[in-house]
Amino acid sequence: MDISKLSKTQKLTISAMVIALYVVVMYFTQEFAFGAYQIRIATAFYSLSYLFPFLVLPLGISNFLSNLLGGLGLIDMVGGCLVGMLTSYLIVLIKRKKWNPFLTIIPIILIPGLGVSTWLSYLLKMPYAPLAISLCIGQIIPAVCGALLIQTLKRVFVMPVSAVNTDNQTN
């Protein structure tokens, strides 16, 4: 499937499905997604922006909505939305630079881990450093899952170079 040829309707449909899937995964994993280490399996979906760059905003919206489940109010919802969009955007940049997809592990760990700690340390009255460390540790599993998700899905959603070259020669 050639992603560059998706219609607006297809992009909107994919966006809605990703938002729904993110929120559902957060719902079923909320026992440990909002814990001390915040192992948010749903943040593995940030990696989808590697294949679908138009998902930057929808992934931020996903985080915003999921914080309705167990977040700490409006600050957490808006902050989570911004963190989700920044993380997804950095993943898009990794793709544009043609860097190894496994580098997506870095923003998935560091942006939520260091960013969310900024307001959580204030809201929970906890020191920033230990909180940031625990959140970064919690992001390791979703980050690795996200990189593996890219590896799996890019076989389906990205045209092989040979197919692109063949198409160009026949035109």
Side-chain angles (χ1 to χ4, degrees):
M1 171 186 249
D2 187 356
I3 295 170
S4 65
K5 294 182 181 176
L6 291 175
S7 69
K8 289 182 182 180
T9 303
Q10 289 171 316
K11 289 178 180 179
L12 186 61
T13 302
I14 292 168
S15 297
M17 291 184 337
V18 168
I19 291 170
L21 189 57
Y22 187 105
V23 172
V24 167
V25 169
M26 281 299 295
Y27 176 78
F28 286 108
T29 61
Q30 63 184 316
E31 286 186 30
F32 52 88
F34 293 102
Y37 287 102
Q38 291 200 4
I39 303 171
R40 291 189 170 206
I41 301 301
T43 60
F45 294 132
Y46 291 155
S47 66
L48 292 175
S49 61
Y50 186 90
L51 299 172
F52 304 102
F54 60 85
L55 286 177
V56 170
L57 179 61
L59 286 163
I61 293 169
S62 300
N63 196 308
F64 181 90
L65 294 173
S66 69
N67 277 333
L68 289 170
L69 298 171
L72 296 173
L74 190 58
I75 294 172
D76 199 21
M77 293 167 67
V78 172
C81 178
L82 294 173
V83 162
M85 290 190 304
L86 178 59
T87 305
S88 299
Y89 181 71
L90 290 174
I91 290 169
V92 170
L93 290 179
I94 289 170
K95 167 71 176 206
R96 285 186 185 155
K97 296 284 187 183
K98 298 180 179 167
W99 292 343
N100 189 314
F102 280 96
L103 288 175
T104 61
I105 290 172
I106 296 168
I108 294 175
I109 291 172
L110 293 182
I111 303 303
L114 301 177
V116 173
S117 302
T118 305
W119 64 85
L120 282 189
S121 64
Y122 169 76
L123 293 173
L124 300 174
K125 297 175 180 28
M126 294 178 66
Y128 175 81
L131 187 58
I133 291 168
S134 72
L135 293 182
C136 286
I137 290 170
Q139 285 298 114
I140 293 171
I141 294 170
V144 171
C145 289
L148 294 174
L149 185 62
I150 293 169
Q151 293 299 316
T152 302
L153 293 179
K154 76 177 184 178
R155 294 181 191 129
V156 175
F157 291 108
V158 177
M159 289 182 60
V161 175
S162 60
V164 173
N165 291 339
T166 305
D167 290 340
N168 290 339
Q169 291 171 355
T170 58
N171 291 337

